[in-house]
Amino acid sequence: MKCLLCGQTMKAVLTFRSLLLLKNDDSCLCSDCDSTFERIGEENCPNCMKTGLSTKCQDCQFWCKEEVEVSHRAIFTYNQAMKDFFSRYKFDGDFLLRKVFASVLSEELKKYKEYQFVVIPLSPERLLERGFNQVEGLVEAAGFSFQDLLEKREERASSSKNRSERLATELPFFIKRGVTIPKKVLLIDDIYTTGTTINRVKKLLEESGVEDVKTFSLVR
């Protein structure tokens, strides 16, 4: 098997787990590539996992004033290796890379068995341009389904706006007509920066009748 990132052939390594399950570990990365990704450490904001803090960060204090109680979890920091990964996966359209974090995502998402998964959608125009929703790809590769609950209208990409512009913009997301509103939702995105998108959608879901909304991303 070859590493999905660097292409080098990986040798099969027998572990106690693989012997017990009678199969090889399903890693898609060689040890060199795997070591370039940085997991979030123990010292972080208890609400959003911003690193280097032990108390609620300024972003979460802001959202509290906006009547949004942040309850976010993530796995990795946004270092150079992760930036390069998303450049290839999200912007160059290498859809095979959705499998890179499948096993680690699977282990994390198993913790939310009581929740209905909902993915941050792309606008129809952006979906046509990109060819796939990168968050849907990550979730499906991890072996999970999600409820098609949200839609998004076309607007200028949020990455090209500053925070005040994003907050001042009318929320482009809306709930589809005729869908059943679940009681518990895990709202999933790929990257959490200031939380502007995911926390505004969280508030939308709460105002629409969802009793418990938690948020999750691969990267913080």
Side-chain angles (χ1 to χ4, degrees), residues 15 17 24 40 50 59-60 65 74 79 81 102 108-109 112 120 122 146 160 170 175-176 178 190 215:
T15 64
R17 175 179 176 274
N24 291 331
I40 297 172
K50 185 173 184 177
D59 285 336
C60 290
K65 293 178 182 177
N79 64 2
E108 290 296 321
L109 293 178
Y112 298 92
I120 294 290
L122 299 178
F146 51 87
S160 66
E170 180 184 357
I175 295 176
K176 290 185 173 183
D190 50 359
T215 61

Side-chain angles (χ1 to χ4, degrees), residues 2-18:
K2 291 186 177 181
C3 173
L4 288 180
L5 288 182
C6 70
Q8 80 171 0
T9 301
M10 298 185 295
K11 296 180 180 179
V13 178
L14 291 179
T15 64
F16 179 76
R17 175 179 176 274
S18 63

Side-chain angles (χ1 to χ4, degrees), residues 90-187:
K90 188 173 179 177
F91 301 113
D92 293 342
D94 191 345
F95 191 54
L96 187 61
L97 295 188
R98 72 193 186 281
K99 299 179 180 180
V100 165
F101 300 107
S103 59
V104 66
L105 267 175
S106 178
E107 290 302 314
E108 290 296 321
L109 293 178
K110 284 177 183 177
K111 300 174 182 178
Y112 298 92
K113 293 180 180 179
E114 298 179 359
Y115 290 78
Q116 179 68 54
F117 295 170
V118 174
V119 170
I120 294 290
L122 299 178
S123 67
E125 292 81 0
R126 182 56 57 83
L127 183 60
L128 182 64
E129 174 188 321
R130 187 168 295 165
F132 62 94
N133 181 318
Q134 73 279 358
V135 187
E136 291 181 2
L138 293 171
V139 174
E140 289 175 339
F144 295 91
S145 59
F146 51 87
Q147 183 173 351
D148 192 13
L149 188 67
L150 300 168
E151 287 189 19
K152 183 183 181 184
R153 293 181 288 271
E154 181 64 12
E155 62 160 5
R156 182 157 59 100
S158 60
S159 60
S160 66
K161 302 177 184 178
N162 60 38
R163 180 172 186 165
S164 60
E165 287 176 328
R166 290 198 298 270
L167 290 172
T169 303
E170 180 184 357
L171 186 67
F173 300 95
F174 58 95
I175 295 176
K176 290 185 173 183
R177 292 182 179 179
V179 298
T180 301
I181 303 297
K183 292 183 177 180
K184 294 185 175 184
V185 164
L186 180 69
L187 186 60

Side-chain angles (χ1 to χ4, degrees), residues 79-91:
N79 64 2
Q80 187 60 48
M82 190 63 73
K83 184 176 181 179
D84 293 342
F85 165 79
F86 274 105
S87 178
R88 289 177 56 183
Y89 174 53
K90 188 173 179 177
F91 301 113

